[in-house]
C-alpha cells in the first residue's frame, strides 16, 4: 500500500535501545526492507533529552496511565536509552547506510513556519466588489442607521481615518468576517456585544459589532491597529449564553468543518495539580496528597515545598518526600493536557488542515485545532472569539419585554445615556443582579468611587481586579479622586499616559505605555511584554522584563517605589488583567443593566429569572431584592403560569411578575408544556383533571405541590410531601375526581 501511494517516499525505521531482543528485531526490519526494497532509517524514539530524566519520564508515564509507578510494569521503559545519544554511540549500533539515510531524511525536512500563508475567507464579499469597497459601503449604511438625523462631522472624520488605516493594512476581510457573524446573530435576534482592541471603534459601532459609541470613549484606534506592529486586530464577541451554540453551528455550516475549527488551549501544571499528580503517581496516600496540595497557594520551589511538607507532618528528608519535591519542581510549568478554547474560532480560505493539524472534538459537531491560541497568533492565523455571556440573555429578554409593552422596538443603543437616577442607584450600591458591579467587592467600592459618568464606570469595572489591587493603586486613586491627595505625575511623558486616570495606572494598556515611555521599551518589546503577561501563569518568563523595567526606569530618574509598583501591577495583570477596551464594553453592559433595574425592575427580574443559571445571586435572592423595590411577584400557578416567568397587569405603573414552572427545581419543560397545551384547550376543573389531561405522574404532581402551584385546587401543604404525592397518585389510579371545594389535607401524617 505504501509503495503504491507514496512511491519513493516510504522508508522503514529501526530503533535500537540495548534491549534483550534487539538483534532479532534488527534482522526482522532488515528482512522486510530487503523484500520491498525500502531503505532503513536509524531512529531514536526519543522521549527525554538526557538519561537522568528517566525518573521524570516514568512519573509522566504513570500519570498518563492513571496508575502509580510501582504498578506500571512493562509500561515503563526497560532502561534509559530513549534519550538524545551522541553520534559515537549511534555509530556503534547502526550501520553507516542507516545513519546516512537519517541524514537524508533530515535534509528533506525543509519546512519553515514562515511558509504558512493565511488567506481570509472570500465568500463574505459579494461578487464584483472588493473587500475595501464592501466594508466602506456597509460602514456608511450602519452610520446612517446609528445616526438617523445625520452623521456628526467628528464621527465621519474618525470613520474615514479608521477605514484608511484598515485599507493600508488590508484587514477589511477580518472586520467583514466579524460583521457577517454579528449580522447573522442580529437576524436571529441573538443579542451580542463586541469587545477588544478594535471593537470600540467607529467602524465596529457602525457595523453593529458593538453598542459603545466611540464619542463616549477615550480609546484611540491606532493604539491597537498600527503599521509598526502589523498584526491583526483583536475583537471578541459575547453572545447570549443560551444561544451561542447557534452561532457556532452557523460558522461550521457556512465555512464547513474542514475550514473552521475552535482553537485549543494547552493547560500547564500549577502548584496544586503538579503536587496531586506526582504524589498520586508515587503512591502517596490520597488524604496526604490532598493535604499537601491545599497547604499553600504560591510556588517557592523546593525550599517552600519542604516547609509545606513539615507543616503537614511529613519528614522532608524522607525518600518519598525528596522524590515528591524533586519531581514536582521539575514538572512545574510542564504542559499537562490540551483543552478546548471557550470560543476562539479559526476560519480559513481553504482546508484548515493545510495550515495546522485539526481533530474532532469530544462534543458532537465540533472540530478543534491542535495548536495553542498563542501559537496561532505567532503565525498570523485569523482568530475570532465567540464567547458566551449570561447577562446578554437577560438583557435581550428585557428589551423584548419593553418592546412589547411600548409597541416599538427597543435596542441596546436606545437606552438613555448618563441617566442621573441610574447613577444614584449605582452610588448606593443597589446593584443586585446587574452586570459586573454586583459583587461584594464592587459594592463596597461604589459608594467610595461614586461614578457619575460613563468613564467613571469604565474605571469602576477595571479597578477591582488583581492588577490594580496587587499594585496598590486603589486607595491612591480614591484619595486623588476625592481631593485628599494632589494629582501629580513623575514626568510629562507619564502624564500623557496617566492623565485620564489621575496619575494612577489602572488599565493594561497604560502599563505597556509606561514600559515604552518610562523604561525605554520599543513597540516590539512592549508587545512581547503583553504576550508574556498573558502566558505567565502557564509558562513564566516575566523576570527578564521586570529587570529591564526596573533598570530602565532607574536610568530615567524614576523612583524605585514607582518602578516596584508598576512591576507588582504587571504581576497582577498576569493573574487577570483588564484592558481599557474591554472595560469600556463591560461598562456599557453594566450601565444598561443598571438602567433596566432602576427604571424597569419588573421586566428585568422576569428576564433574569428566565436566563438562569447566571450571576452571583440565586433566583430567590433576585426575587427578594425586587420585592424590596416594590415589584409584585406572584407565585407559580398551574392555571396561569407558563414555563418561563411573565409580566401580568397589576393596576400599578410596574407590571407584576408571574413566576414560571422553570423556577420549580426538578420540573421538566415537556411537563410544563403539556400543562400549557391542556389549559389552552379548556381550563382545568380540578386536580384530577389536571393530572389526566396534562399526563402528569406522581413526581411531577409532588413538585407542583411543593411549590404551592396547586393552590387554586385547594391543596393545603405541610411537611409530608411524599404523602401528598401518594394520595394524588392513588386518586388518579382509582379515577376519583375532586368535587368543587373539596381539598386534600395532609398534616402530621393524617389524611382526611
Amino acid at each position: 500500500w505504501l509503495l503504491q501511494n507514496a512511491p519513493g517516499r516510504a522508508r522503514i525505521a529501526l530503533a535500537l535501545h540495548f534491549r534483550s531482543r534487539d538483534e532479532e528485531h534488527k534482522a526482522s526490519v532488515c528482512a522486510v526492507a530487503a523484500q520491498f526494497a525500502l531503505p532503513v532509517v536509524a531512529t531514536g524514539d526519543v522521549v527525554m533529552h538526557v538519561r537522568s530524566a528517566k525518573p521524570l519520564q516514568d512519573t509522566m508515564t504513570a500519570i498518563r496511565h492513571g496508575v502509580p509507578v510501582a504498578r506500571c510494569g512493562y509500561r515503563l521503559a526497560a532502561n534509559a536509552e530513549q534519550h538524545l545519544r551522541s553520534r559515537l554511540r549511534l555509530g556503534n549500533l547502526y550501520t553507516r547506510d542507516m545513519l546516512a539515510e537519517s541524514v537524508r531524511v533530515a535534509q528533506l525536512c525543509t519546512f519553515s513556519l514562515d511558509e504558512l500563508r493565511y488567506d481570509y475567507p472570500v465568500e463574505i464579499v459579494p461578487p464584483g466588489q472588493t473587500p475595501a469597497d464592501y466594508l466602506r459601503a456597509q460602514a456608511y449604511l450602519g452610520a446612517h442607521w446609528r445616526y438617523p438625523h445625520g452623521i456628526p462631522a467628528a464621527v465621519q472624520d474618525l470613520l474615514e481615518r479608521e477605514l484608511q488605516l484598515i485599507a493600508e493594512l488590508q484587514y477589511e476581510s477580518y472586520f467583514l468576517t466579524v460583521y457577517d457573524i454579528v449580522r447573522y446573530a442580529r437576524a436571529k435576534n441573538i443579542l451580542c456585544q463586541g469587545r477588544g482592541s478594535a471593537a470600540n471603534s467607529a467602524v465596529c459601532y457602525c457595523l453593529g459589532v458593538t453598542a459603545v459609541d466611540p464619542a463616549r470613549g477615550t480609546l484611540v484606534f491606532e493604539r491597537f491597529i498600527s503599521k509598526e506592529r502589523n498584526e491583526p486586530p483583536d475583537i471578541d464577541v459575547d453572545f447570549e449564553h443560551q444561544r451561542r451554540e447557534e452561532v457556532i453551528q452557523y460558522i461550521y455550516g457556512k465555512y464547513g468543518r474542514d475550514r473552521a475549527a475552535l482553537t485549543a488551549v494547552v493547560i500547564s501544571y500549577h502548584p496544586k495539580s503538579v503536587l496531586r499528580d506526582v504524589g498520586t503517581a508515587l503512591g502517596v496516600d490520597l488524604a496526604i496528597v490532598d493535604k499537601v496540595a491545599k497547604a499553600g497557594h504560591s510556588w517557592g520551589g523546593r525550599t517552600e515545598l519542604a516547609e509545606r511538607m513539615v507543616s503537614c507532618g511529613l519528614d522532608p528528608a524522607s525518600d518519598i518526600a525528596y522524590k515528591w519535591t524533586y519531581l514536582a519542581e521539575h514538572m512545574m510549568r510542564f504542559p499537562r493536557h490540551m483543552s478546548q478554547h471557550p470560543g476562539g474560532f479559526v476560519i480559513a480560505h481553504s482546508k484548515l488542515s493545510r495550515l495546522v493539524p485539526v481533530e474532532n472534538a469530544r462534543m458532537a459537531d465540533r472540530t478543534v485545532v491542535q495548536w495553542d491560541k498563542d501559537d496561532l497568533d505567532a503565525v498570523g492565523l485569523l482568530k475570532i472569539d465567540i464567547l458566551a455571556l449570561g447577562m446578554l440573555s437577560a438583557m435581550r429578554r428585557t428589551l423584548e419585554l419593553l418592546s412589547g409593552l411600548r409597541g416599538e422596538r427597543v435596542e441596546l443603543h436606545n437606552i438613555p445615556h448618563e441617566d442621573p437616577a441610574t447613577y444614584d442607584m449605582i452610588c448606593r450600591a443597589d446593584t443586585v443582579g446587574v452586570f459586573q458591579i454586583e459583587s461584594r467587592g464592587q459594592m463596597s467600592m461604589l459608594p467610595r468611587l461614586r461614578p457619575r459618568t460613563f468613564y467613571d464606570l469604565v474605571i469602576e469595572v477595571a479597578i477591582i481586579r488583581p492588577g490594580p489591587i496587587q499594585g496598590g493603586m486603589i486607595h491612591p486613586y480614591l484619595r486623588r479622586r476625592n481631593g485628599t491627595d494632589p494629582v501629580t505625575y513623575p514626568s510629562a511623558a507619564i502624564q500623557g499616559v496617566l492623565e485620564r486616570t489621575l496619575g494612577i495606572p489602572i488599565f493594561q494598556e497604560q502599563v505597556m505605555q509606561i514600559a515604552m515611555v518610562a523604561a525605554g521599551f520599543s513597540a516590539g518589546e512592549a508587545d512581547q511584554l503583553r504576550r508574556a503577561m498573558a502566558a505567565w501563569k502557564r509558562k513564566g518568563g516575566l523576570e527578564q522584563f521586570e529587570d529591564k523595567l526596573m533598570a530602565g526606569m532607574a536610568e530615567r530618574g524614576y523612583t524605585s517605589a514607582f518602578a516596584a509598583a508598576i512591576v507588582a501591577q504587571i504581576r497582577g495583570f498576569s493573574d487577570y488583567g483588564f484592558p481599557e477596551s474591554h472595560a469600556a464594553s463591560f461598562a456599557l453592559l453594566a450601565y444598561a443593566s443598571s438602567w433596566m433595574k432602576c427604571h424597569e425592575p419588573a421586566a428585568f427580574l422576569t428576564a433574569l429569572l428566565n436566563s438562569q443559571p447566571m450571576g452571583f445571586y440565586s433566583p430567590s435572592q433576585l426575587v427578594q431584592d425586587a420585592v424590596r423595590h416594590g415589584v409584585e411577584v406572584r407565585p407559580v400557578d398551574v392555571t396561569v403560569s407558563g414555563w418561563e416567568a411573565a409580566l401580568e397587569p397589576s393596576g400599578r405603573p410596574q407590571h407584576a411578575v408571574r413566576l414560571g414552572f422553570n423556577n420549580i427545581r426538578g420540573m421538566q419543560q415537556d411537563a410544563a408544556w403539556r400543562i400549557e397545551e391542556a389549559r389552552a384547550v379548556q381550563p382545568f376543573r380540578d386536580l384530577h383533571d389536571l393530572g389526566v389531561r396534562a399526563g402528569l405522574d406522581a413526581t411531577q404532581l409532588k413538585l407542583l405541590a411543593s411549590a404551592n402551584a396547586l393552590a387554586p385546587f385547594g391543596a393545603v401543604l405541610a411537611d409530608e410531601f411524599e404523602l401528598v404525592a401518594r394520595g394524588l397518585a392513588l386518586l388518579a389510579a382509582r379515577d376519583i375526581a375532586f368535587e368543587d371545594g373539596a381539598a386534600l389535607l395532609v398534616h402530621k401524617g393524617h389524611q382526611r
Side-chain angles (χ1 to χ4, degrees), residues 234-247:
D234 174 29
I235 299 178
D236 301 343
V237 187
D238 293 309
F239 296 87
E240 298 177 38
H241 73 306
Q242 294 172 332
R243 302 187 65 188
R244 183 182 67 138
E245 187 62 26
E246 296 178 42
V247 180

Side-chain angles (χ1 to χ4, degrees), residues 561-728:
F562 178 78
I566 296 299
V567 169
Q569 191 164 15
I570 287 176
R571 283 191 172 274
F573 275 120
S574 302
D575 282 327
Y576 189 75
F578 219 69
E580 185 174 1
S581 54
H582 289 259
S585 294
F586 278 3
L588 174 72
L589 299 183
Y591 172 81
S593 59
S594 297
W595 182 90
M596 292 173 179
K597 177 182 171 67
C598 179
H599 295 281
E600 302 290 346
F604 188 54
L605 172 65
T606 303
L608 286 175
L609 294 175
N610 293 335
S611 303
Q612 297 296 316
M614 57 166 287
F616 280 84
Y617 300 97
S618 67
S620 173
Q621 291 172 303
L622 295 173
V623 167
Q624 293 173 41
D625 179 73
V627 170
R628 287 194 293 269
H629 287 78
V631 176
E632 181 186 355
V633 180
R634 296 170 179 174
V636 185
D637 186 333
V638 290
T639 63
V640 291
S641 289
W643 169 248
E644 293 189 334
L647 293 177
E648 294 181 349
S650 65
R652 297 189 295 178
Q654 283 291 325
H655 281 64
V657 177
R658 172 68 68 180
L659 298 182
F661 295 116
N662 61 350
N663 290 115
I664 302 177
R665 184 176 298 174
M667 190 69 182
Q668 298 298 316
Q669 191 171 15
D670 58 348
W673 284 349
R674 291 198 302 273
I675 294 173
E676 292 183 60
E677 290 171 357
R679 190 176 66 208
V681 174
Q682 180 183 337
F684 299 119
R685 298 189 308 273
D686 47 40
L687 200 56
H688 174 71
D689 185 40
L690 165 69
V692 171
R693 289 204 290 124
L696 304 180
D697 58 24
T699 301
Q700 292 156 351
L701 288 168
K702 174 185 174 182
L703 290 172
L704 292 170
S706 67
N708 203 24
L710 304 177
F713 302 130
V716 181
L717 304 181
D719 298 328
E720 304 295 334
F721 290 148
E722 189 63 34
L723 260 179
V724 174
R726 288 179 184 175
L728 296 176

Side-chain angles (χ1 to χ4, degrees), residues 233-503:
D234 174 29
I235 299 178
D236 301 343
V237 187
D238 293 309
F239 296 87
E240 298 177 38
H241 73 306
Q242 294 172 332
R243 302 187 65 188
R244 183 182 67 138
E245 187 62 26
E246 296 178 42
V247 180
I248 289 176
Q249 292 308 318
Y250 165 74
I251 295 173
Y252 280 132
K254 184 178 181 70
Y255 300 102
R257 290 180 61 192
D258 59 337
R259 295 175 53 200
L262 287 162
T263 182
V265 178
V266 176
I267 307 299
S268 299
Y269 272 112
H270 291 173
K272 286 186 179 180
S273 59
V274 75
L275 287 170
R276 289 186 190 279
D277 280 5
V278 173
T280 304
L282 294 177
V284 180
D285 184 86
L286 294 180
I288 297 176
V289 170
D290 189 62
K291 187 176 181 181
V292 172
K294 292 180 178 179
H297 300 283
S298 61
W299 183 259
R302 203 179 303 184
T303 304
E304 189 271 337
L305 285 179
E307 295 172 357
R308 189 182 298 195
M309 297 282 182
V310 172
S311 68
C312 294
L314 301 176
D315 180 7
S318 65
D319 182 60
I320 190 67
Y322 175 80
K323 291 178 180 176
W324 197 355
T325 54
Y326 173 84
L327 293 168
E329 183 182 34
H330 281 76
M331 285 181 61
M332 184 64 177
R333 309 290 184 201
F334 271 28
R336 185 181 188 273
H337 66 275
M338 189 178 77
S339 179
Q340 180 180 302
H341 190 275
F345 254 100
V346 183
I347 306 172
H349 169 68
S350 57
K351 289 186 67 173
L352 190 57
S353 57
R354 293 175 180 171
L355 299 172
V356 58
V358 178
E359 67 179 31
N360 290 329
R362 290 189 178 183
M363 186 179 295
D365 301 324
R366 288 198 181 191
T367 310
V368 181
V369 167
Q370 292 183 349
W371 285 3
D372 184 85
K373 59 183 180 66
D374 294 334
D375 301 326
L376 294 171
D377 293 339
V379 296
L381 296 184
L382 164 68
K383 180 174 71 70
I384 301 173
D385 284 337
I386 309 298
L387 306 174
L389 196 60
M391 181 51 67
L392 287 176
S393 299
M395 292 178 68
R396 192 261 303 167
R397 286 186 166 94
T398 306
L399 293 172
E400 284 185 346
L401 290 169
L402 296 181
S403 299
L405 294 174
R406 298 180 182 182
E408 60 180 4
R409 187 172 179 82
V410 181
E411 296 194 20
L412 191 59
H413 66 274
N414 298 136
I415 291 176
H417 297 172
E418 309 299 308
D419 176 60
T422 300
Y423 283 115
D424 289 342
M425 184 192 78
I426 291 173
C427 291
R428 296 193 304 268
D430 185 8
T431 54
V432 170
V434 306
F435 183 64
Q436 280 289 305
I437 53 174
E438 83 279 28
S439 68
R440 296 301 179 193
Q442 292 280 6
M443 282 184 172
S444 66
M445 175 61 64
L446 289 171
R448 292 186 287 168
L449 194 144
R450 299 191 63 79
R452 302 302 308 181
T453 65
F454 177 73
Y455 196 71
D456 289 345
L457 268 187
V458 175
I459 293 175
E460 172 68 39
V461 166
I463 200 168
I464 304 297
R465 308 286 169 182
I469 291 173
Q470 292 185 20
M473 305 302 179
I474 294 178
H475 294 296
Y477 176 80
L478 289 175
R479 288 196 296 269
R480 292 186 178 201
R481 181 179 173 85
N482 296 331
T484 307
D485 291 352
V487 178
T488 58
Y489 305 95
S491 69
I494 294 292
Q495 181 176 356
V497 177
L498 301 180
E499 191 167 15
R500 63 188 184 277
T501 54
L502 306 181

Side-chain angles (χ1 to χ4, degrees), residues 16 42-44 83-95 99:
L16 300 174
T43 63
H83 68 280
L84 294 170
R85 293 170 286 183
S86 67
R87 284 178 294 175
L88 177 62
R89 295 196 66 199
L90 294 174
N92 293 328
L93 284 173
Y94 300 96
T95 66
L99 292 172

